Amino acid sequence: MTFKKLSLSALLFSATLLTAGVAVQTNATASSTDTPTTVATTSTSDATHGIVDGAHTVWADLPAGSVATLASAADGIPTYDDHGVQNGTTPGPGTQIVTKIAVNLEPDNTDSLLLQLLSNPNQWIKLNSKVYFSIGGSSDTLYSTGGKSPIYFTINFVDQDGKAVQNPLVVPIDSYLGEEDPNSHVNDSIKTAMTSIRDDLPQMTYNIDGYTPRATDPVTTDGDYTTTFHYVSKKAPVDPGTPGGNTSNNTDNATDSSSSSSSSESSSADQSNNQPAPVKNKAVYATKAIGLYKTPTFTKANRQHLYSKQSRTNRPQFTVTGYARSKNGILRYRVRDVHDAKLTGYITANSAFVTNTYYQSNPKTIKVLSRHGINAYGQVSLKGKALKHYARGTSLKVKAVKSYHLTNRFVLPNGHYISANKTLVIKK
């Protein structure tokens, strides 16, 4: 489906024609039963994000002037309630003002990114091949396919062995200026909205038949746009003292069976083959023991290097240069070892074993981990003369996070820059 791009002035003109009020969603924790139950909450008119009452849906405000463009459809564009259940249609082609963005966790709901209509707050449309929207206050647009190298918002559902118990939700949130724009990025407003949704997800209880939420840290995030719901099979013994998985405090647990076993595949150490390939050209490090393999199908014979589990400051780091799948469809990263450029190959893409090397969001306060300390610079490139040296154990306030190529930097209150590498600093 090809859209005809409307001018910003036309979109803003359309926005002035729609003046219906916006219903306020209230912050609530989803039901702990399999059937959602409405939870009594206190409405707050100034809430900018939250969990929809009685639904497995998390929402955040969009900037004023956000406009969805709808393709022509003989039967109209389907609309949904905040449970993701179809409740009508809205005509196309044309534009609609949209006020909120939301993600619904239910497995039967495809196209999980929802946009609330200003004209009828009880109706939401899904971002898909018939819908895209222009982000208010900018010239950026958001499509269901993302940009040329999509950035994904991902929610995984895994058991105690790392196996998927429900297909992951993988939503492209790449926003760009148009087909001529070669760069992938997330518009600041969308970044704020999706970060708020990510931060609200751990407040939700979401049950899956045959499983119970893990007792310790049932929902974790890697600090980026990836969240994982952890479960324990009702048939398996529960060990609440072994959190496992992708934790926000980088807890080390277990061993990557794909690197220590002679079997050809390790389903417990790798992501489901239902998950789309993530963006290449990113920096990751291993939190547990993993192997580096010559091919995407892991065997003991083609393992060229074994990385043992290391303390945080010594963890092996990699640049992701691409991706591939094993013969069974399991996702792998194609990587280059940061400390030895001659070491290239394939590693697991399972977030329980590898995660972002650099903090993606502002931890507010950090502590220096490096035994050599860390230097602060006046340039984001960390080049030139060091302006200040901070010894190991020093606590620092963080004002912001700034991207620089494949890395991130922390901006200190005095405007100086330091590395946001997790092997050098840790969130307090």
Side-chain angles (χ1 to χ4, degrees), residues 294-362:
K294 295 178 181 178
T295 70
T297 299
F298 294 172
T299 66
K300 190 172 182 179
N302 72 29
R303 188 176 70 202
Q304 52 184 332
H305 192 77
L306 176 62
Y307 296 91
S308 60
K309 187 174 81 169
Q310 297 287 337
S311 63
R312 182 180 175 117
T313 56
N314 295 315
R315 286 173 180 169
Q317 302 177 49
F318 307 92
T319 298
V320 178
T321 59
Y323 53 84
R325 293 190 182 274
S326 71
K327 65 181 181 181
N328 289 346
I330 299 173
L331 183 65
R332 314 297 196 192
Y333 284 140
R334 186 174 73 241
V335 300
R336 180 178 64 252
D337 189 310
V338 168
H339 299 297
D340 187 349
K342 294 180 181 178
L343 282 176
T344 62
Y346 297 88
I347 63 172
T348 176
N350 190 338
S351 59
F353 294 85
V354 294
T355 189
N356 290 310
T357 305
Y358 293 85
Y359 281 102
Q360 306 296 306
S361 58
N362 187 351

Side-chain angles (χ1 to χ4, degrees), residues 49-226:
H49 57 89
I51 300 172
V52 176
D53 273 357
H56 294 134
T57 300
V58 185
W59 63 273
D61 278 344
L62 288 170
S66 292
V67 180
T69 300
L70 285 57
S72 178
D75 300 323
I77 302 297
T79 61
Y80 302 83
D81 63 17
D82 50 27
H83 290 257
V85 178
Q86 187 171 350
N87 64 358
T89 60
T90 190
T95 61
Q96 290 267 19
I97 306 300
V98 287
T99 59
K100 299 182 187 298
I101 190 168
V103 173
N104 180 273
L105 303 187
E106 299 295 336
D108 295 331
N109 293 330
T110 57
D111 303 324
S112 297
L113 201 59
L114 302 169
L115 305 170
Q116 186 186 54
L117 300 181
L118 173 64
S119 57
N120 187 343
N122 293 319
Q123 290 186 319
W124 301 68
I125 56 176
K126 294 186 176 184
L127 192 69
N128 55 31
S129 61
K130 297 178 181 178
V131 176
Y132 80 87
F133 82 96
S134 299
I135 304 165
S138 75
S139 299
D140 283 353
T141 54
L142 188 62
Y143 293 81
S144 62
T145 55
K148 296 182 179 180
S149 299
I151 296 167
Y152 291 107
F153 183 93
T154 304
I155 305 175
N156 297 306
F157 307 87
V158 302
D159 67 8
Q160 69 278 2
D161 296 320
K163 295 180 181 179
V165 297
Q166 177 179 305
N167 287 345
L169 300 179
V170 184
V171 182
I173 55 173
D174 178 77
S175 37
Y176 65 118
L177 295 172
E179 293 297 336
E180 72 284 353
D181 180 8
N183 299 313
S184 291
H185 71 284
V186 180
N187 174 280
D188 286 343
S189 296
I190 297 302
K191 182 182 294 186
T192 297
M194 301 311 291
T195 299
S196 296
I197 290 175
R198 180 206 66 195
D199 291 344
D200 284 341
L201 283 168
Q203 303 174 38
M204 179 182 290
T205 298
Y206 179 70
N207 287 344
I208 295 178
D209 288 344
Y211 298 87
T212 57
R214 191 174 67 185
T216 303
D217 294 332
V219 187
T220 60
T221 176
D222 68 356
D224 195 345
Y225 299 115
T226 300

